[in-house]
Amino acid sequence: MTQNVRWGILATGAIAKKFAEGLRDARGAELVAVGSRSQDKADAFGKQFNVPHCHGSYEALAADADVDAIYVATPHPQHKPAASLCLEGGKAVLVEKPFTVNAREARELVALARAKKRFCMEAMWTRFIPAIVRVRELVASGAIGEVRMVAADFGFRGGLNPEGRLFNPRLAGGGLLDVGVYCVSFASMILGTPVATTGAAHIGQTGVDEQAGMVLTYEGGKLAVLYTAVRTQTPVEASILGTDGRIRIHNPFFKASKLTITAGGKDETVEIPLRGNGYNYQAEHVGQCLRDGRTESDIMPLDETISIMETMDALRAQWKLRYPME
Amino acid sequence: MTQNVRWGILATGAIAKKFAEGLRDARGAELVAVGSRSQDKADAFGKQFNVPHCHGSYEALAADADVDAIYVATPHPQHKPAASLCLEGGKAVLVEKPFTVNAREARELVALARAKKRFCMEAMWTRFIPAIVRVRELVASGAIGEVRMVAADFGFRGGLNPEGRLFNPRLAGGGLLDVGVYCVSFASMILGTPVATTGAAHIGQTGVDEQAGMVLTYEGGKLAVLYTAVRTQTPVEASILGTDGRIRIHNPFFKASKLTITAGGKDETVEIPLRGNGYNYQAEHVGQCLRDGRTESDIMPLDETISIMETMDALRAQWKLRYPME
C-alpha cells in the first residue's frame, strides 16, 4: 500500500469533527467517506469536510469499497458493534477511546480483529504526539533513572445534563471512561499492567462517577496516583517520578507540548509544539502500520488496551458502578 | 501573661535547630532553655543558640521554673512520653508532627493535657504561615465555590539508611508519618475528617512505607488524592479544586509562598513571602493562645490532630504496617 490511506468516519459528533480536522494535517491520509444513521447528518458532515462518499447508514460505510480504514466515533456503547461491522466489512478500524465499555467487550472485539486479520487500535491519540514520543524516549534512555511513581489527573467541569453522554449511565457516562482513561492509559504506557488497584469515586445523582481518585500498584511497589472528574476542573498535568529525576508534562497533559525535565539538580523546560490539532499523528501511525502490513500497533497494542479496560473494570467494580447494558 | 513566652526545646536534632532559628524571628518569644539526654549535647546546642539554661535531662527541662512552653523535638516514638513529662511539669507543649505514633497515643496525650488544663498542640507549622492563612481565607470566602477535591504530594529521595529515623521501624519511620502527615493534615484542614480511606504503599526492605498513594473520601463525595515518599522526589504541590475555581499552592507547598488562584476564567498568581524560616509563625500562635488563656488552638485543634492520626492508622492498617512499639 503506497497510496494514501482512504479514511471513513463512522458517526458525526464532536470527536468525529476533531478527527476530520486532524486528517487535514495527516500525511498519507485522505478523508473519503462518512457514515451516519441519518443521511442528512452524513451530508452535512460531508459538506463541512468535503467528503465525497456520504452514507446514510453505518452498514453502507462499512461496505464502501473505496475505504481502507474507519474511525469509530460513536458514544462508548456503540464502539464494539460499530467496529465489528467495519471489521466484518474488511476495514481497518481505529476505535475512539475508551475502546469499549468493559474488558469483556474489548476481548471480543480484539478476537474478531485477530480472526479477520484486520488492523485494529484504540484511538489513544495522545500517545502519538511528539511530546509524548519524547517522554517515552526520555524514560527509556534512563534520563530519570528507574521510574517509581506516575501521577496524572484529568478533570473538567461539565454542565450536569442527565441525558448527555457524560452523565447518562445508558451511554456509559462518568469521568473514568471519558477522561480518566487518559490517566489510566498514561500510567499503563509507563508502568505496564497493575498488580492491584484501589480508589474511591463520587457517584452522582445520575448514577455515574462524577469524580474519582485511584491508586494503582505495580511490580516492585511502583505506584500510579490518578484522579479524574467531569464536575471538577483539575490541573490536567502528569508527572513521572524516577530515582534520578522527574518529568512534568504540563497542562493539558493529554495534548502535551511542554515538558519540564528535572535531573542532575536542574530543571529544563522544553516546548515540543504540535502540528495540526494532534489527532493527525495517530492517523499517520495507522497509515504506517497499514503500509507495513501490521494488524496491531506496537505503540498502543491491543493486549494493552484490554489491560486498561480490565483496570477500569476493577475500579468500577469497587465503586459498584455498573452500566445498564452490562 | 504579657511578657515573652519563655521557650524550652526538648531534644537537639535537626528539627530542634530549625525551631530555635524560627524563634529568633518570632515576636513575643524567647528561647531560655534546652534539654537533652546528654549534657554535652545540651551545652553545644545552648552555645549555638545562646540558651541560658542547658539541661542534661528531659526531666530537668520539664522542671525548669523559668520555662513557659516546651517544643518536643524528639523522634516520633518519644513524643508522647516527652510531652507527658512536660505537661506533668506544668508546661505548655508544642509537639513536633506527627503528634504521636498512632491515635491511641494521641488520645492519651490529649486526655492528659486536658486533665492538666495545659496548652497542647501538634506543631503543624505550615498551617500558620501567611500563604496558608490566605488559602483558608480564600476558601472560606467562596472564591472557588464549594471545594470538591484536594490534591497534595510530598516526597523526597532520602538516602536509604536502615538505622536512621526515616527508615527504621523502631523509630516509626516511613513516608506517611514523616511527610505524608503534611498531606493528610492539609486535606483535613480543608475537608475535615474522612468517612473512608484507601490507598497503597510500597513497604521497602526496612519494613516501612517508602512511597504511598492515598484516596480519602469525605461527606458528599468530596475526595482527597495524596501521595508521599521518602525514596522518590515528587512535585511537592497542592491543589484545592472547587466548583467555581481552584487554588494551586506551588512547590514547596508545606512552606508555601506562591499561590495561583484560578477563578472566573483567569489565573492570578500571588507571592506571599515568609518572614523567617516559617517556624516562627506557629511559635507566635502558641504565644497568642497562652496570652488568651487558651489550652487548645483553634487553627490546629487537638480533636483534629486525633482525627489525622486515625486516618494514618487506617492507612497503615491497610498496608499492614505496624511498628514494633505498637
Side-chain angles (χ1 to χ4, degrees), chain A residues 12 18 24 51 54 90 113 126 131 134 138 176 201 220 237 253 269:
Chain A
T12 58
K18 282 190 180 170
R24 289 173 176 163
V51 187
C54 299
T126 188
R134 181 78 187 117
L138 283 164
L176 180 64
E237 291 207 336
F253 94 84
T269 297

Side-chain angles (χ1 to χ4, degrees), chain B residues 122 127 184-190 192-193 298-309:
Chain B
E122 182 181 10
R127 204 170 272 206
V184 174
S185 185
F186 181 78
S188 174
M189 180 179 82
I190 302 296
T193 295
D298 57 333
I299 308 295
M300 184 70 258
L302 289 170
D303 285 341
E304 188 183 344
T305 282
I306 291 171
S307 160
I308 290 164
M309 295 309 307

